[in-house]
Amino acid sequence: MWADALPNLLIGLREGLEAGLIVSILLAAVRRTAGVQGGRVSSAPVWLGVAAAVVLALSFGAVLTFYRSVLSTTGQEALGGLLSVVAVGLVTGMIFWMRRTARTLTSELRTKVADALRVSAAALALTAFLAVGREGLETALFLWTTAQVSGQTVAPLVGAAVGIAAAVLLCVLLYRGAARLDLSVFFSRTAVALIVIAAGVFAYGLGDLQDAGLLPGHTWLAFDLSHRINPGSWWVTLVTGVTELSPSMTWLQVVAYVVYLVTVLTVFLMAGARQTSAGPAAQPAASPEPTAGTESAAPPRQGRRRIAVLVAAALVVPPVAAALLIGFGPRSAAAAADVTVTDQACAPSWSATGTGTRDFTVANRSGHTVEVNLVQAASQGIVAEIETLGPATAQRLSATLAPGGYFFRCLADGLPTTTSTTVSAAGPGPAPGQLALAVAPVAVADLQPAADAYDGYVRPKLAQLLTQVAAVRADLAANQLPAAQRDWLAAQLTWEQVGAAYDSFADLGDAIDGLPQAQPLGVADPGFTGLHRLEYGLWHGQPAAALLPVTDQLSADITALTGKLSQLTLDPTDLPLRAHEILEDALRDHLNGLTDEGSGAAYPETFADAAGTEVVLDELKPLIDARSPALLPAVRGQLAELTQALLATQVGGQWQPVSAVPLAARQRVDADIGAVLENLSLIPDLLEVPAH
């Protein structure tokens, strides 16, 4: 988990060094100005301004951390997403501001100090407050957002504290002349790392806004590795901690990440090249020590009372306002209860609860990644869960409870499953519409009949596919290319209809339906075989004789797959995932043209994928209906709408390429597939097999 400390250590070091340099320059400017003028000027106003800025930043961080807990889950996601985007904007501006003003920072601050000294000590304190306050607010906001991304609190805070402490020590050494540092090189190189971190925070913030419903496309996943990798493994922790990326990202997040990273890095590096060609910039280092005779003196008597009032207000008002907001701001009507997970016990202190909507703050103190279930004792059904709770983190779990017994179950990586004592929820029952169905856990044995039935569906489909490929070969042998194109499409659609199983076909699946993007030489690579190789040849003018060997190899691969089918049985736990992923792959690959090798068959392939999804739902129907009776009727209605939208893209009964379909018809397909994916995405969680 300490990989999550690295980004915050960098942020603390860089922001702390920036603020420390500003303080050093201010102090040196005060003493130099006093030396030039032959007077005695106190540096206390500078320190008071710095203290006020620190208090304001800490108060702001406290509000961010604690006040948002009174919001609904959607409200928290919306607030977190907006603040993440704002933080990225501020940090990006700070990076370019430091590059732009490095050569003039010292002289600008000296001028401000001289102007402030001509007014009053209060003006000097205000100058220090404004100069340091911006850095403090930026630091608080960006540290908070990176902690949100990592899902942890301890490691990010420790990393930030170490970075700030190192920055303070370095500033002291620089000010006293005991250390030398090429600040322009330091800020340039750390800026590159900070841009990478900011790109991850930006993508995370957009994901939160999608989850809150403020941005579309939260079901349009570019990739989802959460079911294929262990989130607690060291390398996943390292990658996510350093880059702030997550194992599951939507297309919007991926595009935003790449666009931000490429654009900002390019502009930053180009700006650096221009500055280099223009000549070396002056480093924003502290000024030399002043001459003798410039010791501090007290401010004029007539200004003491006003300064005291301003100091008290700056130091007291922010924390008091933050405390009032946190303590007395509007809160959720649901009561909160604390639940702790350790490496030995699950919710050991949980002893009482009431009916209705309850909010539980679940804190993980086990040192392992855990899954937490709230289980109804009578039915053994799960009424609420947290799928992944990282070490040293806390999340809120909400549930609507009817009268009866409940217990927590904790499933930790590398530890035995533990449960709490069963606690009775006392009080009146909630309204029928408020009570969520308790979802009974699923075992592999429960899914095995569905997997066996699907295996029985696949074998005759492969036999049909073999016959259709033979028809393509006959067309090629007769040099009937239009007929070969029609028969190829029939074969491709048959393959699409076994979509829930092809992940189990290993290398034979790639040989039958692989894409040129996976081959070193692309379409010219000998390893590019199968249906898409035929598609490429048929729609790119290759002669029939050149495609006959491709067809023969395809037939041999299908025959080999049929012979090995009994050894390549579908993993039962994959079937609920495929109920969602078949159409998700169609949206990502077919409708975006990633699998098109010339046929323009995105819509018929998606049509076949919808039919394949129907087959998977048929096999899973008993398990789904027992847990969510209204889900399948809703999904089937949406699938029917999607099917009609796809058929509407035909002209005279002939499928059309996406580019030839009117915009309104394309938009209807996109809307319908997005709608059905919303409900299909519930099935993997509904039929998830517990990890322990």
Side-chain angles (χ1 to χ4, degrees):
M1 69 177 182
W2 295 108
D4 295 299
L6 295 178
N8 294 278
L9 189 151
L10 175 63
I11 295 165
L13 176 61
R14 182 185 169 99
E15 295 276 7
L17 189 55
E18 285 187 22
L21 287 172
I22 291 173
V23 173
S24 299
I25 295 170
L26 289 174
L27 291 173
V30 166
R31 295 186 178 185
R32 171 169 288 189
T33 302
V36 171
Q37 296 176 353
R40 296 166 60 84
V41 181
S42 173
S43 61
V46 173
W47 290 113
L48 290 174
V50 170
V54 171
V55 169
L56 178 63
L58 292 175
S59 301
F60 180 56
V63 171
L64 289 176
T65 302
F66 299 108
Y67 183 67
R68 77 186 195 101
S69 64
V70 308
L71 300 174
S72 65
T73 301
T74 300
Q76 291 184 37
E77 290 169 342
L79 178 62
L82 289 171
L83 289 180
S84 295
V85 173
V86 170
V88 170
L90 290 175
V91 168
T92 305
M94 174 269 295
I95 291 170
F96 285 97
W97 172 80
M98 179 53 73
R99 177 180 284 283
R100 185 177 63 253
T101 61
R103 66 175 68 230
T104 59
L105 180 62
T106 301
S107 60
E108 287 180 3
L109 288 175
R110 285 176 182 166
T111 301
K112 290 181 179 180
V113 167
D115 292 341
L117 286 172
R118 284 193 290 270
V119 178
S120 67
L124 180 59
L126 180 62
T127 300
F129 174 78
L130 294 177
V132 180
R134 191 189 79 160
E135 304 295 335
L137 292 176
E138 283 181 358
T139 303
L141 181 55
F142 204 59
L143 289 178
W144 179 83
T145 54
T146 53
Q148 293 301 113
V149 176
S150 67
Q152 298 201 40
T153 53
V154 174
L157 288 178
V158 170
V162 171
I164 292 172
V168 171
L169 177 61
L170 188 57
C171 284
V172 171
L173 294 176
L174 287 171
Y175 184 75
R176 294 182 176 178
R180 294 289 184 269
L181 178 65
D182 189 335
L183 296 176
S184 63
V185 173
F186 171 82
F187 284 120
S188 296
R189 293 182 178 176
T190 57
V192 173
L194 204 57
I195 289 170
V196 174
I197 296 170
V201 173
F202 184 47
Y204 172 85
L206 294 181
D208 262 359
L209 294 177
Q210 287 180 304
D211 291 338
L214 298 181
L215 291 176
H218 82 276
T219 62
W220 297 356
L221 295 180
F223 58 84
D224 185 0
L225 305 177
S226 57
H227 298 287
R228 295 176 171 84
I229 61 176
N230 179 9
S233 61
W234 69 269
W235 67 272
V236 174
T237 302
L238 182 63
V239 171
T240 56
V242 173
T243 65
E244 308 295 2
L245 297 177
S246 64
S248 175
M249 296 181 69
T250 65
W251 278 107
L252 176 62
Q253 289 179 288
V254 171
V255 171
Y257 179 86
V258 173
V259 170
Y260 174 89
L261 192 62
V262 172
T263 302
V264 176
L265 271 179
T266 300
V267 174
F268 181 81
L269 295 175
M270 290 176 62
R274 286 195 299 269
Q275 284 193 1
T276 301
S277 63
Q283 294 182 8
S287 300
E289 288 289 334
T291 57
T294 59
E295 301 298 327
S296 299
R301 182 182 302 274
Q302 62 270 23
R304 289 180 180 177
R305 181 174 300 176
R306 182 171 57 180
I307 294 175
V309 172
L310 292 174
V311 169
L315 296 178
V316 175
V317 170
V320 170
L324 291 174
L325 184 61
I326 295 169
F328 300 100
R331 292 188 174 273
S332 169
D338 290 329
V339 172
T340 303
V341 181
T342 70
D343 56 358
Q344 301 291 330
C346 180
S349 61
W350 190 49
S351 59
T353 190
T355 56
T357 300
R358 316 299 295 176
D359 284 349
F360 303 92
T361 300
V362 183
N364 182 7
R365 303 288 181 261
S366 70
H368 299 258
T369 300
V370 299
E371 175 183 334
V372 180
N373 306 145
L374 179 57
V375 183
Q376 188 180 57
S379 67
Q380 293 295 298
I382 300 172
V383 297
E385 67 176 343
I386 298 175
E387 288 192 354
T388 303
L389 184 62
T393 62
Q395 289 187 33
R396 193 168 69 171
L397 183 147
S398 297
T400 303
L401 306 181
Y406 298 86
F407 64 89
F408 281 96
R409 178 169 58 219
C410 302
L411 306 96
D413 290 340
L415 296 176
T417 298
T418 55
T419 59
S420 70
T421 58
T422 299
V423 173
S424 295
Q434 295 179 337
L435 185 61
L437 183 68
V439 179
V442 177
V444 174
D446 298 327
L447 291 168
Q448 191 62 56
D452 292 341
Y454 198 81
D455 280 342
Y457 162 80
V458 169
R459 188 173 293 275
K461 281 292 181 182
L462 291 180
Q464 180 184 359
L465 176 61
L466 192 60
T467 301
Q468 291 167 330
V469 172
V472 175
R473 192 191 192 288
D475 296 332
L476 292 173
N479 202 29
Q480 297 294 321
L481 293 181
Q485 290 177 338
R486 290 193 298 270
D487 287 335
W488 171 87
L489 180 58
Q492 180 67 40
L493 299 188
T494 297
W495 175 262
E496 294 293 332
Q497 292 174 26
V498 298
Y502 56 67
D503 273 352
S504 303
F505 296 159
D507 292 342
L508 285 172
D510 293 334
I512 294 171
D513 197 51
L515 293 169
Q517 292 91 325
Q519 304 300 330
L521 301 179
V523 294
D525 198 289
F528 178 34
T529 63
L531 289 164
H532 286 298
R533 173 65 183 89
L534 270 179
E535 177 189 8
Y536 180 82
L538 287 170
W539 272 271
H540 286 81
Q542 293 185 350
L547 297 178
L548 285 173
V550 178
T551 310
D552 292 338
Q553 181 62 51
L554 177 57
S555 296
D557 290 334
I558 297 172
T559 301
L561 177 59
T562 303
K564 293 183 178 180
L565 198 58
S566 59
Q567 306 168 30
L568 300 172
T569 52
L570 177 69
D571 183 349
T573 61
D574 280 347
L575 204 57
L577 297 175
R578 298 304 297 161
H580 172 255
E581 289 181 350
I582 294 174
L583 279 178
E584 182 182 68
D585 290 348
L587 174 63
R588 182 189 63 214
D589 299 336
H590 299 331
L591 297 181
N592 285 310
L594 298 180
T595 59
D596 185 14
E597 295 301 322
S599 66
Y603 287 138
E605 287 175 334
T606 304
F607 185 86
D609 288 332
T613 300
E614 289 271 15
V615 174
V616 177
L617 295 177
D618 286 341
E619 309 300 352
L620 296 174
K621 184 178 187 302
L623 296 174
I624 297 174
D625 286 346
R627 291 161 176 79
S628 182
L631 181 57
L632 272 188
V635 169
R636 293 195 187 281
Q638 291 171 322
L639 282 172
E641 293 178 2
L642 173 60
T643 299
Q644 290 303 312
L646 290 166
L647 290 173
T649 65
Q650 293 182 333
V651 176
Q654 300 297 314
W655 292 106
Q656 304 296 309
V658 174
S659 59
V661 175
L663 176 61
R666 299 200 307 266
Q667 289 175 333
R668 181 185 170 191
V669 170
D670 292 343
D672 286 346
I673 197 170
V676 72
L677 281 172
E678 292 272 0
N679 278 328
L680 288 173
S681 66
L682 303 175
I683 294 177
D685 289 337
L686 194 67
L687 302 183
E688 181 185 18
V689 176
H692 300 270

